[in-house]
Amino acid sequence: MISNQILQNTIDGLKAITRIDLCIVDTDGKVLATSFPEADGYEEAVLSFVVSPADSQVISGCQFFKVLDDGQLEYVLLVKGGSEDGYMIGKIAVFQIQNLLVAYKERFDKDNFIKNLLLDNLLLVDIYNRAKKLHIDTEAKRIVFIIETKHEKDSNALETVRTLFATRTKDFITAVDEKNIIIVREVRPGENYKELEQTAYVVLDTLNTEAMSKVHVSYGTIVNSLKEVSRSYKEAKMALDVGRIFYSDRNVVAYSNLGIGRLIYQLPIPLCKMFIKEIFGNKSPDDFDEETVSTINKFFENSLNVSETARQLFIHRNTLVYRLDKIEKSTGLDLRVFEDAITFKIALMVVKYMKYMETVDY
């Protein structure tokens, strides 16, 4: 449960203080962490000690100690030398390692609880009972952030996020799939969405610079109790999807700012197909050439302003009017008329949504 690196750091720290060599091995005699190179030579002695009833024993110039976890043998600690000081150091080291086991088990239990909470795998009574045992405040306000990484199992990004939030002991960092890191963040009194958006950008900038990882960040809305955390998670997940479809230029997407994209995302595909057929008939927006697509996009960017659009496209105003007339003949929609422009814009977004849903693997 505890990583070998943590065990090694513990051994190195104890040696630096006591100047006594120590080694931790598993119950099969495999060395996990050591401060002296000849530790591999004690494998047979370790296996013999494991089956003995003694809690500690001196073998071949080393003191052996059993490290238990809830009554089960987890590790064997070796302390070089047979002095009384070595025995005392060994007992201290055993105490330290057992405390680490308890702390990591609690961390694992909390992580497992938060995962099940996010995925709606818990009954209401289980949420409150387990939260009480794990000393988690059930009435604190929280919000869920999702960080989508470019690569699967990006452990570097995960550790960077954990380091970033290391001082915030009431926040939880976990993952429920291969590419997404999830932050369940406790909201401080008086904290607003503007400040939470700044948190999202801090995460984004930190991962881009320190972890060299290209990421997207989304977040849900603030919920008032632990039982509602899954709702904020679902909102953040939707924001990630909607942002990927309609707002690919944004690296941070908030559920509360999805606009019309949120409505389209929740439409059934058959209804979308009916709508597109009604607008374009048997044609598709994909049939438009690159020049027409560029004209349409620029026209919308400039709020249907013909003169400004023509200027930015470096074409004569009459050329733009000709192109708009051509689109009207093809679709029956005059983009200079606000109602037709809105219909056309929504139709383009619906087509984007349909294309995305075709690529999603359920």
Side-chain angles (χ1 to χ4, degrees), residues 38-56:
E38 62 271 24
D40 288 330
Y42 291 91
E43 185 176 343
E44 289 186 12
V46 169
L47 294 175
S48 175
F49 176 64
V50 165
V51 297
S52 74
D55 290 330
S56 63

Side-chain angles (χ1 to χ4, degrees), residues 145 192-205 219 252:
F145 292 82
N192 56 37
Y193 281 108
K194 186 175 181 180
E195 292 169 306
L196 294 170
E197 185 179 31
Q198 289 175 350
T199 298
Y201 277 105
V202 168
V203 171
L204 180 76
D205 294 340
Y219 57 96
V252 173

Side-chain angles (χ1 to χ4, degrees), residues 4 45 57 66 72 81 115 141 181 203 256 266 270 280 300:
N4 290 355
Q57 194 173 352
K66 289 180 178 176
Q72 297 293 320
K115 284 180 181 177
K141 290 185 176 182
I181 300 167
V203 171
S256 56
Q266 296 179 83
F280 296 109
F300 284 143

Side-chain angles (χ1 to χ4, degrees), residues 292-305:
T292 302
V293 172
S294 175
T295 300
I296 292 168
N297 290 334
K298 188 61 69 175
F299 193 53
F300 284 143
E301 282 177 23
N302 288 290
S303 304
L304 315 185
N305 187 310

Side-chain angles (χ1 to χ4, degrees), residues 247-264:
Y247 314 114
S248 56
D249 58 325
R250 299 185 196 174
N251 290 321
V252 173
V253 185
Y255 176 79
S256 56
N257 293 328
L258 294 179
I260 198 169
R262 173 172 37 218
L263 296 177
I264 295 172

Side-chain angles (χ1 to χ4, degrees), residues 298 302 305-313:
K298 188 61 69 175
N302 288 290
N305 187 310
V306 174
S307 299
E308 183 60 24
T309 302
R311 188 185 69 80
Q312 291 189 20
L313 288 173

Side-chain angles (χ1 to χ4, degrees), residues 106 110 113-114 117 127-143 169-172 184-189 223-229:
E106 183 174 304
K110 282 186 176 180
F113 170 67
I114 293 298
L117 181 69
I127 292 174
Y128 284 103
N129 287 340
R130 292 185 63 182
K132 185 177 180 181
K133 288 180 181 177
L134 294 170
H135 308 291
I136 298 174
D137 186 357
T138 58
E139 299 306 317
K141 290 185 176 182
R142 293 181 173 88
I143 190 169
T169 56
K170 294 181 180 180
D171 293 346
F172 303 99
V184 181
R185 188 181 184 282
E186 185 171 309
V187 179
R188 296 187 297 264
V223 295
N224 296 315
S225 64
L226 193 64
K227 66 181 180 181
E228 297 176 303
V229 163

